[in-house]
Amino acid sequence: MEQEELTNYAEKIETLAQKLGLDYYPVDFEVVPNNFMMEISVYGLPVRMPHWSFGIRYIHQLIRQGMGHSRIFEVMFPGDPCHAYLVRDNSIAENTLVVAHVIGHADFSKNNHLFARFMEMAGGHILEQAAERAHTIEMALAEHGQQRVEQILDAALALEPHVDINQPLHRRPYPTGFSHSAKEESADPFSRRFHRLPGEADPQLPEARRRTIPPTPEYDLLWFIANYAPEMEGWERDIFLAVREESFYFYPVFACQIMNEGWASYWHARLLREADFLPSDLYVSAIKAHSDVVRPFAADNQLSLSINPYHLGFSIWEDIIEKYGVQRARQICKDEDDFGFIRNYLTPELAEKLDLFVYEADHEGGIRIAEKNIHAIREAILAPKFNYGAPRVAAAEMHVDGSLELIHDHKDDGRGLDIPRAERVLEYVTRVWRRPVSLQTVGGSGHPRVVSSKPIVKS
Amino acid sequence: MTVHSTISTGSPWYALFSRGARDWLRHNEKVRESVQQHLPDLVAGSDLITGSEERTVHLPVRVLEHARFRLADNQMESYRNAGQGQGQPGDVLRPAQQRPDEDDEAEGDNSEGEVRLLLELKVDDIVDWLWEELKLPDLQPKPKTTLSEDEFVREGWDKRGARARLDRRRTVKEAVKRRAIQQDPVPFSNEDLRFRQLVHRRKPATNAVVLFALDVSASMTDAERKLAKTFFFFVLQGIRRKYGKVETRFIAHTTQAWEFSEPDFFQVTGTGGTGASTAFDLAIEMIEAEYDPAQYNGYLFYASDGENFTEDRSAATAGLAKLTQLLNYVGYVETVPGSSRVTDTEMKSICAQLEQNGARLGSCVLNQPDDIWKAIRKFFMQEALQGAEV
């Protein structure tokens, strides 16, 4: 009954969306029970590899939902077709809103360059592939035992954000033999373009030296370990590459969160507004759901220490469309990610209107508003997004004996790593690399600090 | 171009999906593993053996976080972030001395929401897990202690009986049944009454006494005591799991032996040499006076660094031999923390000699906390084996 009603509205909303110029791959909507929705939100994909760390998130999510802190409306996976999941228990008004919202996402993910690039490299069936890989891992579990599979996943998932998204998904190994110029070494498109900029000279390298592995510091750790670990077996490398591919898949969602949610929110609002076929009571409930989602965390006279990305993105898109029109907005949607979007289109006037500020929390827990400078606001919003939200750690050199040296770019990050955690990650990595691994970073007072793996205990 | 999206109801199987629950179970297994690794720290309390079994330990699940590279918390500078609302630079939003609690966003995404759980575990539960894992055989109660206690157990019902044993619930049930089929029934009749019946049973004795003897001469350092204490604790847990009522006694000795209460037992330090026979004599005295071997299952566990006066040898051998006859089992652990050298000590040779003669005695060397499991396993296996033979 409800199902038919929803299908009916969805069809009309789609027709309206296409009339308004939205361009997207078809969406497979599935109405699923709440517990399945929760699993999707915990794993990030409907069917994904098993790992105990998801168990922790699962408990966490269970508690949050139990306390009513968290409610999931929809999860949408770009692809061709896209997949979207709706919660069965939500009202028809909420689900109508969600359908419109998902169509906004679908439009964004077909057109945005980051999403398009991933799809070009990996195709549009990532969900099926992830499920297939999860199955392969199940088989590996049966064949090689929990301990061996788990130690691979411990390492691979710990390094999940440590990929180089400027590299192709299917990347070739380093050329071997002797190197002659620095130009060929910087293989990724970004560095090549960078070196072609006027005034940018080729870095001078000593001539014809033996190549080291890696030739330049390698930030694509998952790829590097999968390809160069001295004693890894084929199925173990496959797991690393699987985690890497999923990481590539998550990156556009991560890097465009504000734009993407804003865009979807803009379109669901607009589609509902223009959907004259909706009964008025349903429209009112849907719009109420809209304003619950797209509202600043700080309502009225309150202050909030975080910014609702839905509200921020929504406000910026409204501003853009008001000033420049939809055509220009579509171009922006295609060209930018959150970095360009916030830096170029979060204007001082808009920041003023939205009451944005930068606050400082000292380590005794005191919090005060620091400034309202637009540059500071932009950087504060973007800070957690740099480098996939992870510290810059690269493979510096693989020595003749197979030992690996990692280096943390502490200058870029501004400070050193959390040492106890780094030690544990190194422990995971060592079990997979099967040779000594060390990591250079800086300690609390800025002096160099080397973390070394403990010798492997054969168990 | 028209795009056709589809809406379908998900597969009915979705309701059965439980991968999250499965990974949760795996996570719980990891909790157990990490608890085991931290056991020596968990059993550090001074009243551990005689204290309540209801005690709990707190375990921060932080140790189970799946680690990732993270930047160090900045101690020097303050943490900056963007916020929203009406306020001017300089406004203090919250005075110091409170921890900021941030609600991370509701969408399930890739960021690792920091999960801090504090698990409260019962020591008893932890020991249960361990025992499950050690797969120890059941202890054999001493075959000759067939002495039984009489007791009355409730069993069955009857229409007649003492007023005090009227089973009201059952009586009402009977009345209801009767009323349902009768025309114009009386509320209760004598026929409805049901009384609990008692039967006379013989119950095998399940008393046990565990004597702990510890060498407190100057050569026993803190590390050695800690090993001994941890061992004593777990061995007692094993015995508790078998017998209904377990008494514990603590004997410390140098060239003399004294009885102590538990807190003092692990604190006391004596000076001078080692004469193990004194402890054995005291144990024999205690058993003969208070714990009739016919009624009690007795155990003695003795920890020492192995040194003993040579002059004491024959006395110690005789004492120990007598004890092995009085008790179900005697266990000797030699605590030599940190060294894995095998040395022949005085005590070890005494034990080896007795063991060869078929006495119910076992000895083991403890170098590090992990050896405790080996020792416990050895003792319990041996005890079960010898118990079965007799």
Side-chain angles (χ1 to χ4, degrees):
Chain A
M1 193 57 205
E2 283 208 344
Q3 176 84 23
E4 281 165 27
E5 203 181 341
L6 185 61
T7 314
N8 175 26
Y9 294 147
E11 253 173 43
K12 289 184 177 156
I13 286 175
E14 281 199 78
T15 319
L16 179 64
Q18 283 156 34
K19 208 172 77 194
L20 290 173
L22 293 189
D23 169 29
Y24 55 92
Y25 297 112
V27 187
D28 276 352
F29 288 97
E30 278 194 77
V31 186
V32 298
N34 209 358
N35 68 322
F36 187 66
M37 201 64 165
M38 197 172 92
E39 298 227 333
I40 297 176
S41 77
V42 167
Y43 284 80
L45 286 168
V47 180
R48 205 178 175 200
M49 53 197 64
H51 187 251
W52 59 272
S53 63
F54 296 122
I56 306 179
R57 292 192 214 166
Y58 184 76
I59 304 169
H60 194 213
Q61 187 70 30
L62 211 62
I63 294 169
R64 288 172 59 113
Q65 280 205 351
M67 298 196 304
H69 282 328
S70 159
R71 188 154 167 226
I72 306 157
F73 279 100
E74 50 86 29
V75 184
M76 186 269 189
F77 297 98
D80 181 13
C82 304
H83 290 267
Y85 295 89
L86 313 179
V87 184
R88 188 183 289 161
D89 301 341
N90 282 351
S91 71
I92 179 120
E94 284 166 336
N95 273 341
T96 311
L97 176 83
V98 166
V99 166
H101 186 82
V102 165
I103 288 171
H105 278 313
D107 174 71
F108 188 88
S109 64
K110 184 177 176 183
N111 293 294
N112 179 270
H113 71 116
L114 283 179
F115 283 92
R117 176 169 178 267
F118 177 81
M119 192 117 133
E120 199 180 291
M121 295 189 296
H125 298 282
I126 185 78
L127 290 201
E128 290 81 349
Q129 286 161 4
E132 177 63 32
R133 279 193 294 258
H135 181 63
T136 317
I137 289 175
E138 293 291 342
M139 294 204 301
L141 268 171
E143 190 178 339
H144 306 284
Q146 179 147 45
Q147 201 198 348
R148 292 199 59 194
V149 176
E150 200 166 82
Q151 78 183 19
I152 294 291
L153 282 172
D154 279 351
L157 288 171
L159 298 177
E160 195 181 18
H162 296 270
V163 294
D164 184 348
I165 41 101
N166 288 318
Q167 293 289 351
L169 181 61
H170 303 289
R171 194 182 155 184
R172 274 191 301 205
Y174 305 120
T176 47
F178 289 87
S179 71
H180 298 283
S181 82
K183 212 190 280 174
E184 59 169 305
E185 287 187 351
S186 48
D188 71 272
F190 176 81
S191 327
R192 276 203 301 268
R193 271 169 55 206
F194 184 78
H195 288 303
R196 280 205 302 271
L197 289 176
E200 193 58 41
D202 283 347
Q204 291 297 310
L205 284 179
E207 275 183 30
R209 61 193 177 98
R210 182 87 194 154
R211 283 172 196 277
T212 53
I213 292 180
T216 52
E218 179 58 70
Y219 287 90
D220 202 345
L221 293 183
L222 286 174
W223 174 84
F224 182 77
I225 292 173
N227 280 277
Y228 290 93
E231 265 182 60
M232 241 166 133
E233 289 182 30
W235 64 272
E236 297 179 318
R237 296 178 199 271
D238 286 346
I239 291 180
F240 259 70
L241 293 177
V243 171
R244 178 172 177 263
E245 186 166 342
E246 284 166 18
S247 181
F248 266 65
Y249 178 69
F250 292 134
Y251 182 75
V253 183
F254 176 83
C256 298
Q257 195 210 10
I258 298 171
M259 279 178 95
N260 194 356
E261 294 300 355
W263 185 254
S265 300
Y266 174 81
W267 283 105
H268 79 224
R270 179 150 174 200
L271 288 170
L272 287 190
R273 211 160 47 228
E274 299 186 17
D276 44 17
F277 47 84
L278 290 179
S280 58
D281 56 337
L282 191 134
Y283 174 75
V284 171
S285 336
I287 282 300
K288 187 179 172 301
H290 158 82
S291 47
D292 284 346
V293 174
V294 187
R295 74 175 170 92
F297 290 147
D300 303 327
N301 289 322
Q302 287 183 322
L303 283 151
S304 159
L305 296 182
S306 54
I307 295 176
N308 182 352
Y310 289 77
H311 177 245
L312 180 63
F314 180 74
S315 310
I316 298 177
W317 282 119
E318 275 204 318
D319 189 51
I320 290 171
I321 292 169
E322 193 182 311
K323 281 186 194 150
Y324 313 108
V326 175
Q327 271 322 305
R328 177 76 190 281
R330 295 197 67 85
Q331 190 61 38
I332 293 168
C333 158
K334 195 171 164 199
D335 294 341
E336 301 283 18
D337 56 14
D338 277 350
F339 293 97
F341 186 64
I342 295 294
R343 285 179 182 152
N344 294 329
Y345 302 102
L346 176 60
T347 58
E349 302 78 52
L350 193 59
E352 174 82 7
K353 199 175 120 197
L354 297 177
D355 287 325
L356 302 183
F357 59 80
V358 176
Y359 67 87
E360 265 179 7
D362 57 45
H363 43 276
E364 270 132 29
I367 296 175
R368 61 182 193 86
I369 297 179
E371 54 184 318
K372 292 190 134 187
N373 178 309
I374 185 66
H375 299 290
I377 291 173
R378 286 175 187 154
E379 295 317 302
I381 293 173
L382 295 173
K385 293 185 165 272
F386 285 112
N387 196 45
Y388 218 154
R392 304 253 304 152
V393 177
E397 198 179 345
M398 180 177 165
H399 296 282
V400 187
D401 61 356
S403 62
L404 175 67
E405 207 177 281
L406 298 174
I407 188 159
H408 171 228
D409 193 348
H410 57 87
K411 280 193 193 128
D412 229 41
D413 282 333
R415 58 202 144 115
L417 291 174
D418 178 298
I419 300 294
R421 283 202 178 85
E423 276 170 352
R424 300 239 304 284
V425 176
L426 229 55
E427 206 177 294
Y428 301 148
V429 173
T430 310
R431 276 189 221 129
V432 169
W433 188 264
R434 298 184 177 122
R435 295 279 191 282
V437 181
S438 65
L439 167 70
Q440 290 179 41
T441 179
V442 290
S445 46
H447 50 82
R449 177 92 192 254
V450 177
V451 184
S452 304
S453 58
K454 296 177 191 90
I456 308 172
V457 187
K458 293 263 186 218
S459 54
Chain B
M1 188 195 79
T2 44
V3 174
H4 297 287
S5 296
T6 54
I7 296 190
S8 58
T9 312
S11 149
W13 298 108
Y14 284 171
L16 300 173
F17 258 62
S18 60
R19 291 159 308 133
R22 175 182 140 179
D23 283 342
W24 181 4
L25 287 179
R26 175 64 194 141
H27 168 255
N28 287 355
E29 267 174 45
K30 311 253 329 170
V31 173
R32 285 186 178 203
E33 279 167 27
S34 97
V35 168
Q36 280 191 36
Q37 284 162 10
H38 291 82
L39 273 178
D41 306 331
L42 298 182
V43 296
S46 73
D47 62 338
L48 195 75
I49 293 179
T50 46
S52 152
E53 282 172 64
E54 293 294 302
R55 100 193 33 257
T56 56
V57 287
H58 288 276
L59 181 80
V61 183
R62 196 151 184 71
V63 292
L64 291 166
E65 179 195 299
H66 183 233
R68 291 189 173 191
F69 286 127
R70 261 194 31 193
L71 291 181
D73 287 332
N74 209 332
Q75 293 299 317
M76 302 296 144
E77 290 166 43
S78 41
Y79 159 86
R80 287 169 78 98
N81 204 343
Q84 188 174 13
Q86 284 166 3
Q88 290 307 314
D91 285 5
V92 174
L93 304 184
R94 178 158 56 193
Q97 300 301 328
Q98 266 176 296
R99 296 308 305 165
D101 64 333
E102 293 147 48
D103 222 14
D104 44 6
E105 79 250 71
E107 291 282 279
D109 63 359
N110 252 7
S111 70
E112 200 116 62
E114 205 168 322
V115 188
R116 278 194 205 133
L117 296 172
L118 198 67
L119 288 189
E120 194 178 272
L121 298 169
K122 271 194 186 158
V123 170
D124 220 36
D125 288 344
I126 300 176
V127 180
D128 274 345
W129 302 342
L130 288 170
W131 247 250
E132 223 170 82
E133 225 149 283
L134 284 171
K135 296 198 175 57
L136 294 175
D138 269 356
L139 289 177
Q140 301 288 332
K142 205 188 280 183
K144 285 172 216 128
T145 53
T146 42
L147 173 109
S148 308
E149 290 167 7
D150 291 337
E151 63 169 2
F152 287 100
V153 218
R154 266 190 206 163
E155 198 175 83
W157 287 266
D158 200 342
K159 291 188 180 177
R160 272 168 290 277
R163 198 76 189 166
R165 286 198 285 275
L166 175 70
D167 186 338
R168 293 193 190 84
R169 193 181 171 84
R170 224 178 151 90
T171 302
V172 172
K173 265 190 187 172
E174 292 299 325
V176 169
K177 275 198 273 181
R178 180 181 49 77
R179 277 180 249 158
I181 53 168
Q182 278 181 353
Q183 298 275 333
D184 197 16
V186 288
F188 286 99
S189 78
N190 277 345
E191 287 301 293
D192 297 335
L193 300 182
R194 291 292 180 276
F195 298 89
R196 295 194 187 95
Q197 300 300 304
L198 296 182
V199 283
H200 192 220
R201 282 271 172 79
R202 289 178 80 76
K203 191 178 108 197
T206 53
N207 294 337
V209 58
V210 184
L211 306 172
F212 293 112
L214 181 67
D215 172 8
V216 292
S217 61
S219 52
M220 289 289 281
T221 62
D222 275 352
E224 278 144 352
R225 280 155 192 258
K226 195 173 174 192
L227 267 180
K229 184 178 183 179
T230 318
F231 172 75
F232 283 168
F233 171 69
F234 285 110
V235 89
L236 177 65
Q237 292 301 324
I239 292 171
R240 275 221 173 110
R241 266 159 185 68
K242 179 66 193 174
Y243 296 106
K245 192 167 158 241
V246 179
E247 286 175 50
T248 46
R249 302 296 285 265
F250 301 90
I251 300 167
H253 79 87
T254 55
T255 46
Q256 277 182 2
W258 307 269
E259 192 188 351
F260 283 99
S261 66
E262 192 201 344
D264 300 335
F265 180 56
F266 289 104
Q267 300 299 325
V268 71
T269 315
T271 49
T274 319
S277 64
T278 54
F280 300 148
D281 291 342
L282 183 61
I284 293 169
E285 216 174 279
M286 271 184 198
I287 291 166
E288 286 178 341
E290 291 170 61
Y291 305 102
D292 176 5
Q295 288 192 31
Y296 279 88
N297 290 286
Y299 293 86
L300 173 87
F301 291 94
Y302 175 50
S304 141
D305 55 2
E307 285 163 28
N308 200 29
F309 285 144
T310 345
E311 303 87 75
D312 192 43
R313 172 179 271 202
S314 59
T317 315
L320 209 53
K322 180 147 192 221
L323 278 171
T324 56
Q325 281 162 9
L326 291 174
L327 299 171
N328 290 33
Y329 189 75
V330 175
Y332 166 62
V333 282
E334 199 161 297
T335 51
V336 264
S339 105
S340 50
R341 246 175 335 128
V342 181
T343 45
D344 274 326
T345 59
E346 186 68 24
M347 270 316 292
K348 210 191 276 172
S349 58
I350 294 177
C351 289
Q353 192 196 334
L354 282 170
E355 220 171 327
Q356 258 182 351
N357 297 340
R360 287 192 279 169
L361 177 144
S363 64
C364 211
V365 181
L366 303 180
N367 294 320
Q368 58 196 33
D370 275 357
D371 290 346
I372 288 170
W373 309 121
K374 249 189 334 202
I376 286 180
R377 207 173 152 70
K378 181 176 172 191
F379 288 161
F380 277 75
M381 296 293 270
Q382 211 174 15
E383 207 276 338
L385 215 69
Q386 289 173 340
E389 276 167 11
V390 180

